[in-house]
């Protein structure tokens, strides 16, 4: 039945809805939103794993949905939120549920597909785009669209036309760093940087939480088992031991991996719960390889070629017919796998096997598709295939390679080789390098060296341009400085950070509204680099300047810049304490706590942890000024907050809880409350024992220090034998770390050795000479 709409006045929008798509149209600028309704009843064997299928209940997301609905209901006309979480954490499924709920309440909702994003963002005068109803726009894989998103938000922030209906933009990505990468391109660049920061609600990325209860994890397993094995009853035990096992699984809080585990359990029973993330994905990927090969043989097509082209489609995140046909012809020639009636027959089969809205879909979910790529694109031939796809299909292939490195670097070297080749190819192409810089996460150890190469190349290309934008050069410099620091090239990192600040100072003087934000961020980064190099007085001076710049921003925009001011105040506190300026440090710490408390009142889920860290820092400064009662009060408050957070998200907050209980034990000890100090030290040691079992490189040193603290508490209580034993154990753990990095662990080892020697003396036993004598030349000046 045809529909018509009659609209009068300015800046109105006609909305057309057909099938999966909601199209918002205004003059030359229109945006089509997709809700993937046709994928709810997918026939593809893996469709149940796709978030678009909504095949299982959305479990354990009540708080996230309530927070998002609060975001939608807030008064400002335009707001943006960034939700982050690793692959399989449930971001897309959560956004789909929100879209469904709000569509039922009269909103226009949906996702911007990659194809639609390219078309819409290439348009002109995007600020003229309007919306006739409350509208929710979801942008998945936001990093890939960073530059275009930045330009669009520039125009939205500058919009002067009235907006009678709210517009909410939800950006989804695996990770986001407010100081660098794609976040800086979206919210830091452009003439409306401060205006775009004002659009953010909250002003920091919102991490999606793991499923927090055994009941939710069990229910999702059971839902997926009913789909994966409808004719076979796999009974899940509900006893405490099984629930404890579910809560201890490293991947147990991520919905996708619970669903993958259910599929594996349908084949091999409860032993599937012993598999790791990559193993689970690999089991399902092998099943998909077998299915595609069987379909190829049934249609008289070459299985190796069909699988290879399925891998190409997965690399490219999907292929249209127009893109597939020339690619298939080229790949046949390159691989030697021929097909008489290809590529048309190949397209027909792959579209049937991997149906997508515009052609051939990638193998989904991402983790399974990546496992398939790792299996099929092996060795030099696989690397060459990836590079051919990158040359033909562009940055989407690089994005897939980056995700493969993040997820599979520990078990497969291939993906890093693919990405290295892509970076080699892009070395002289500034646009390609900038796209890589936006897509590379700063928090991935596996990608540290690649990120460093890319950021170096971006800065070199910009420096060679006589008319290069100084802000772009400064931003590239800050990215490079951080990447250099990650690989411990501290001197070069400092030099690059200094240059970035020098570039930004004249810009901030000429146009403070545009550039003060960038200058404050760059100054804060410089503080860290100066501190890394032991330049504490310079770091203090820089931190004071950063506080002045951030304070000016926060005065006019307390919500948008308040978190930046709190962060630079925290860094100022550290520098003041390090130089013995304990009174000023206390004032800075108190101001940071006040700011984080204000932010946590508005966004408790996003700023409660930051507030706890600020209170912990305040407690340490109280201790430095001999106000031990106040220090204990802060330590108790911090520990209480982190206990609650760790109960909900143990993987995320257990390190902070371990540190908080350490500080609490020390605070009790300074007040000679030795019994409570011992209890807290035992808790700290227990937390670090668990953490070190999961990540020994990171947590063995603090585990050893916690044993030293526990030994000291036993000494204070005259419990001499356990004091000696715990100190001895701590030395056994810390000595290998010290021998590898003596400058890093010198102070901790000296302190632990002193505790051990005192405990041996009190027990009237000789120290373990074999253990400590090799150390004495290193620490003789610190050892009694």
């Amino acid at each position: 039945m045809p529909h018509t709409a009659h609209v009068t006045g300015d800046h109105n929008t006609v909305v057309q809805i057909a099938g999966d798509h909601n199209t918002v149209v205004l003059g030359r600028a229109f945006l089509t939103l997709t809700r993937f309704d046709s994928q709810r009843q997918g026939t593809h064997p893996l469709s149940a794993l796709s978030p678009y299928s909504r095949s299982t209940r959305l479990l354990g997301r009540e708080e996230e949905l309530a927070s998002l609905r609060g975001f939608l209901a807030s008064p400002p006309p335009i707001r943006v939120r960034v939700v982050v979480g690793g692959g399989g954490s449930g971001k897309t499924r959560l956004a789909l549920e929100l879209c469904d709920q709000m569509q039922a309440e009269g909103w226009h909702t949906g996702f911007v597909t990659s194809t639609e994003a390219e078309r819409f963002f290439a348009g002109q005068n995007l600020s003229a785009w309007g919306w006739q109803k409350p509208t929710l726009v979801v942008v998945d894989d936001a990093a890939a669209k960073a530059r275009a998103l930045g330009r669009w938000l520039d125009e939205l922030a500058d919009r002067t036309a009235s907006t009678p209906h709210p517009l909410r933009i939800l950006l989804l990505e695996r990770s986001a760093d407010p100081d660098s990468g794609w976040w800086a391109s979206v919210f830091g660049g452009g003439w409306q940087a401060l205006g775009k920061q004002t659009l953010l609600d909250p002003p920091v990325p919102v991490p999606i939480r793991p499923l927090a209860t055994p009941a939710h994890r069990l229910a999702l397993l059971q839902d997926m088992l009913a789909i994966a094995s409808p004719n076979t009853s796999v009974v899940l035990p509900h006893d405490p031991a099984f629930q404890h096992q579910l809560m201890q699984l490293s991947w147990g809080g991520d919905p996708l991996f619970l669903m993958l585990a259910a599929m594996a359990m349908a084949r091999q029973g409860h032993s599937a719960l012993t598999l790791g993330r990559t193993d689970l994905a690999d089991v399902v990927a092998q099943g998909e390889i077998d299915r595609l090969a069987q379909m190829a043989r049934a249609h008289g097509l070459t299985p190796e070629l069909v699988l290879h082209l399925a891998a190409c489609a997965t690399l490219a995140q999907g292929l249209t017919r127009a893109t597939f046909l020339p690619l298939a012809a080229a790949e046949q020639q390159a691989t030697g796998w021929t097909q008489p009636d290809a590529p048309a027959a190949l397209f027909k089969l792959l579209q049937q096997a991997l149906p997508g809205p515009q052609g051939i879909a990638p193998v989904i979910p991402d983790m399974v598709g990546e496992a398939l790529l790792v299996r099929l694109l092996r060795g030099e031939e696989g690397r060459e295939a990836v590079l051919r796809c990158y040359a033909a299909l562009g940055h989407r292939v690089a994005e897939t390679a980056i995700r493969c490195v993040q997820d599979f670097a520990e078990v497969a070297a291939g993906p890093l080789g693919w990405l290295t080749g892509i970076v080699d190819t892009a070395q002289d192409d500034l646009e390609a390098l900038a796209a890589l810089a936006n897509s590379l996460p700063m928090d991935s150890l596996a990608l540290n060296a690649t990120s460093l190469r890319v950021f170096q190349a971006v800065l070199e290309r910009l420096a060679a341009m006589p008319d290069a934008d100084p802000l772009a050069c400064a931003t590239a410099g800050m990215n490079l400085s951080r990447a250099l620091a990650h690989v411990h090239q501290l001197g070069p990192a400092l030099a690059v950070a200094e240059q970035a600040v020098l570039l930004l100072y004249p810009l901030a003087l000429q146009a403070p509204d545009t550039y003060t934000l960038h200058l404050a961020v760059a100054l804060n980064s410089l503080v860290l680099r100066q501190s890394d190099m032991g330049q504490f007085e310079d770091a203090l001076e820089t931190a004071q300047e950063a506080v002045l710049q951030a304070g000016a921003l926060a005065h006019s925009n307390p919500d948008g810049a308040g978190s930046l001011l709190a962060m630079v105040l925290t860094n100022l506190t550290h520098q003041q304490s390090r130089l013995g300026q304990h009174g000023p440090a206390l004032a800075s710490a108190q101001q940071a706590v006040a700011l984080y408390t204000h932010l946590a009142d508005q966004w408790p889920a996003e700023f409660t942890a930051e507030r706890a860290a600020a209170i912990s820092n305040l407690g340490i400064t109280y201790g430095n000024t001999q106000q031990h009662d106040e220090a204990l009060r802060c330590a108790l408050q911090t520990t209480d907050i982190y206990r609650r957070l760790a109960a909900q998200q143990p993987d995320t907050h257990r390190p902070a809880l371990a540190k908080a209980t350490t500080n609490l034990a020390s605070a009790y000890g300074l007040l000679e409350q030795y019994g409570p100090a011992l209890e807290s030290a035992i808790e700290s040691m227990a937390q670090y024992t668990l953490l070190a079992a999961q990540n020994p490189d990171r947590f063995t040193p603090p585990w050893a220090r916690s044993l030293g603290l526990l030994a000291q508490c036993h000494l204070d209580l005259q419990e001499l034998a356990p004091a000696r034993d715990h100190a001895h154990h701590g030395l056994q753990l810390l000595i290998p770390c010290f021998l590898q990095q003596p400058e890093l662990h010198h102070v901790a080892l000296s302190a632990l050795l002193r505790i051990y020697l005192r405990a041996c003396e009190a027990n009237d036993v000789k120290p373990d000479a074999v253990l400590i004598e090799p150390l004495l030349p290193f620490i003789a000046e610190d050892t009694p």
Side-chain angles (χ1 to χ4, degrees):
M1 176 179 178
H3 296 273
T4 60
H6 302 283
V7 182
T8 60
D10 296 330
H11 300 290
N12 292 312
T13 303
V14 176
V15 179
Q16 301 171 331
I17 303 176
D20 280 347
H21 301 89
N22 295 341
T23 304
V24 183
V25 184
L26 176 65
R28 294 184 222 169
F30 66 93
L31 179 62
T32 301
L33 304 179
T34 301
R35 293 184 49 236
F36 304 100
D37 289 339
S38 64
Q39 296 188 35
R40 288 178 183 265
Q41 301 297 327
T43 57
H44 185 280
L46 295 186
S47 61
L49 293 173
S50 168
Y52 306 115
S53 71
R54 289 83 145 179
S55 60
T56 59
R57 294 172 291 170
L58 185 72
L59 298 162
R61 297 301 186 200
E62 293 80 9
E63 289 187 21
E64 283 90 345
L65 281 170
S67 177
L68 285 166
R69 291 180 72 95
F71 159 68
L72 298 182
S74 61
I78 303 173
R79 275 290 179 262
V80 181
R81 176 169 290 195
V82 178
V83 173
V84 295
S89 59
K91 304 180 299 297
T92 303
R93 179 69 174 87
L94 177 65
L96 286 163
E97 182 71 20
L98 183 67
C99 285
D100 288 349
Q101 290 186 10
M102 301 317 296
Q103 187 81 12
E105 296 179 23
W107 282 57
H108 295 304
T109 69
F111 285 60
V112 181
T113 64
S114 296
T115 303
E116 176 63 7
E118 291 173 4
R119 184 206 61 76
F120 177 68
F121 293 137
Q124 302 296 317
N125 193 27
L126 297 182
S127 63
W129 175 68
W131 51 98
Q132 194 171 322
K133 282 188 174 184
T135 299
L136 168 62
V137 177
V138 182
V139 182
D140 210 345
D141 298 321
K145 310 169 184 73
R147 295 175 67 188
L149 278 170
R151 292 194 300 270
W152 186 34
L153 294 183
D154 274 330
E155 298 199 28
L156 287 175
D158 194 46
R159 185 184 176 93
T160 57
S162 61
T163 54
H165 304 292
L167 170 66
R168 297 294 180 264
I169 301 171
L170 186 61
L171 308 182
L172 309 180
E173 191 46 80
R174 286 194 171 198
S175 63
D177 187 326
D179 294 336
S180 61
W182 74 268
W183 177 287
S185 293
V186 174
F187 299 107
W191 79 92
Q192 275 289 341
L194 188 57
K196 290 187 290 188
Q197 294 275 339
T198 304
L199 296 179
L200 279 164
D201 176 10
V204 294
V206 179
I208 191 167
R209 301 183 309 158
L211 295 182
T213 69
H216 289 139
R217 298 184 184 191
L218 273 169
L220 183 53
L221 269 177
Q222 198 70 67
D223 282 1
M224 193 62 199
L225 277 169
I227 296 171
S229 183
N231 300 320
T232 305
S233 177
V234 180
V235 179
L236 293 177
H238 286 65
D239 59 88
F242 185 73
Q243 293 184 15
H244 178 74
Q245 181 185 6
L246 278 183
M247 296 307 294
Q248 295 304 309
L249 291 170
S250 62
W251 45 261
D254 291 337
L256 171 62
F257 292 97
L258 288 167
M259 296 169 77
L260 289 172
M263 293 192 74
M265 289 173 74
R267 301 179 184 181
Q268 61 190 71
H270 291 178
S271 63
L273 295 181
T274 64
L275 300 175
R277 290 173 181 266
T278 55
D279 297 322
L280 286 168
D282 188 62
V283 168
V284 179
Q286 183 57 58
E288 183 68 352
I289 290 171
D290 295 342
R291 181 184 75 91
L292 291 170
Q294 183 179 4
M295 289 184 70
R297 286 189 288 268
H299 287 77
L301 299 175
T302 305
E304 292 84 359
L305 181 58
V306 169
L307 289 169
H308 180 79
L309 293 173
C312 293
T314 300
L315 278 169
Q317 302 173 36
L319 291 171
T320 63
R321 179 183 176 86
T323 306
F324 174 85
L325 295 179
L327 178 72
E331 287 303 299
Q332 284 187 89
Q333 184 174 359
T335 62
W337 289 318
T338 58
Q339 190 67 47
D341 52 352
L346 290 164
F347 178 81
K348 182 177 181 181
L349 173 68
L350 283 170
Q351 188 179 37
Q352 177 186 347
L354 300 169
Q358 297 173 316
I360 302 168
V363 173
I364 54 173
D366 287 348
M367 194 79 179
V368 174
E370 293 161 19
L372 177 139
L373 293 175
V374 169
R375 275 188 169 271
L376 295 180
L377 301 177
R378 296 178 182 271
E380 185 60 26
E381 290 183 356
R383 180 177 181 272
E384 290 175 358
V386 172
L387 295 181
R388 290 195 302 270
C389 286
Y390 177 68
L393 304 169
H395 184 65
R396 293 182 192 175
V397 174
E399 292 170 2
T400 304
I402 289 169
R403 290 199 295 265
C404 283
V405 175
Q406 288 179 274
D407 292 332
F408 284 86
E410 292 184 1
V411 296
L416 189 57
W418 309 341
L419 189 57
T420 300
I422 289 171
V423 174
D424 290 340
T425 302
Q427 278 296 301
D428 296 321
D429 185 338
L430 181 58
E431 185 174 351
L433 287 168
L436 284 167
N438 283 332
S439 295
L440 284 164
M442 293 293 281
D443 58 354
S444 170
L445 291 175
L447 289 166
N448 273 352
T450 303
S451 298
L452 179 58
R453 282 191 65 203
V454 169
F455 293 138
Q456 283 176 325
V458 169
L459 190 56
E460 288 170 2
R461 298 287 85 74
L462 287 170
M465 298 169 57
D467 57 346
D469 178 9
L471 176 58
C473 292
T475 301
M478 286 189 285
N479 287 338
L480 176 56
S481 175
R482 187 165 182 183
L484 286 163
H486 280 177
V487 296
H488 302 291
Q489 296 186 32
L490 303 181
L494 174 60
V496 175
E498 289 173 335
Q499 186 60 36
V501 170
L502 289 175
L503 285 170
L504 288 168
Y505 258 120
L507 298 175
L509 288 173
Q510 295 170 12
D513 290 346
T514 302
Y515 295 107
T516 299
L517 174 65
H518 303 288
L519 178 58
V521 171
L523 286 165
N524 190 59
S525 178
L526 179 57
V527 171
L528 301 177
R529 305 290 82 82
Q530 290 170 326
S531 182
D532 288 341
M533 291 295 292
Q535 300 178 8
F536 302 130
E537 292 183 354
D538 290 341
L540 174 61
E541 184 177 343
T542 304
Q544 290 168 333
E545 177 64 18
V547 168
L548 286 176
Q549 299 293 342
L553 293 171
H555 179 73
S556 58
N557 181 16
D559 291 340
S563 60
L564 175 61
L565 177 57
M567 181 170 58
V568 298
L569 279 165
T570 298
N571 282 335
L572 175 60
T573 302
H574 294 322
Q575 305 313 318
Q576 290 167 326
S577 296
R578 185 173 278 118
L579 292 172
Q581 299 181 13
H582 299 308
L586 183 60
S588 299
Q590 288 171 329
Q591 189 177 355
V593 168
L595 286 166
Y596 277 128
T597 298
H598 173 72
L599 291 166
D601 287 342
Q602 297 179 78
W603 298 291
E606 289 73 41
F607 283 102
T608 296
E610 284 80 358
R611 176 172 175 262
I615 293 170
S616 176
N617 191 44
L618 176 60
I620 293 169
T621 57
Y622 273 128
N624 291 336
T625 57
Q626 307 305 309
Q627 300 181 56
H628 297 311
D629 288 327
E630 289 298 313
L632 176 60
R633 179 183 61 81
C634 290
L636 285 166
Q637 189 176 2
T638 302
T639 303
D640 180 62
I641 294 172
Y642 278 126
R643 279 202 183 105
R644 285 188 281 109
L645 292 173
Q648 299 172 343
Q649 297 174 267
D651 293 341
T652 301
H653 296 293
R654 180 172 284 145
L657 176 60
K659 184 178 179 181
T661 51
T662 299
N663 291 339
L664 181 58
S666 298
Y668 275 127
L670 289 170
L671 288 169
E672 299 182 357
Q673 298 184 28
Y674 299 133
L678 178 62
E679 292 178 7
S680 298
I682 290 172
E683 182 178 359
S684 172
M685 185 271 295
Q687 296 290 349
Y688 277 124
T689 301
L690 291 172
L691 290 166
Q694 297 171 356
N695 189 339
D697 290 342
R698 177 182 174 188
F699 290 110
T700 294
W703 181 24
R705 294 195 294 271
S706 73
L707 285 162
L709 176 63
L710 181 57
Q712 181 62 57
C713 291
H714 281 298
L715 275 178
D716 292 334
L717 290 167
Q718 299 299 306
E719 297 171 358
L720 305 181
R724 183 194 65 235
D725 293 344
H726 289 308
H728 187 272
H729 187 194
L731 284 172
Q732 288 176 315
L733 294 172
L734 193 56
I735 285 171
C737 304
F738 169 78
L739 294 175
Q740 289 182 1
Q741 295 178 289
E743 72 287 348
L744 185 61
H745 301 295
H746 181 281
V747 174
L749 187 68
S750 298
L752 186 52
L753 183 56
R754 285 194 294 270
I755 294 171
Y756 175 63
L757 294 176
R758 286 201 298 270
C760 289
E761 182 180 5
N763 279 276
D764 195 23
V765 298
K766 290 183 178 181
D768 184 344
V770 175
L771 183 69
I772 67 171
E773 282 183 4
L775 304 174
L776 296 180
F778 295 97
I779 54 177
E781 68 275 14
D782 298 322
T783 306

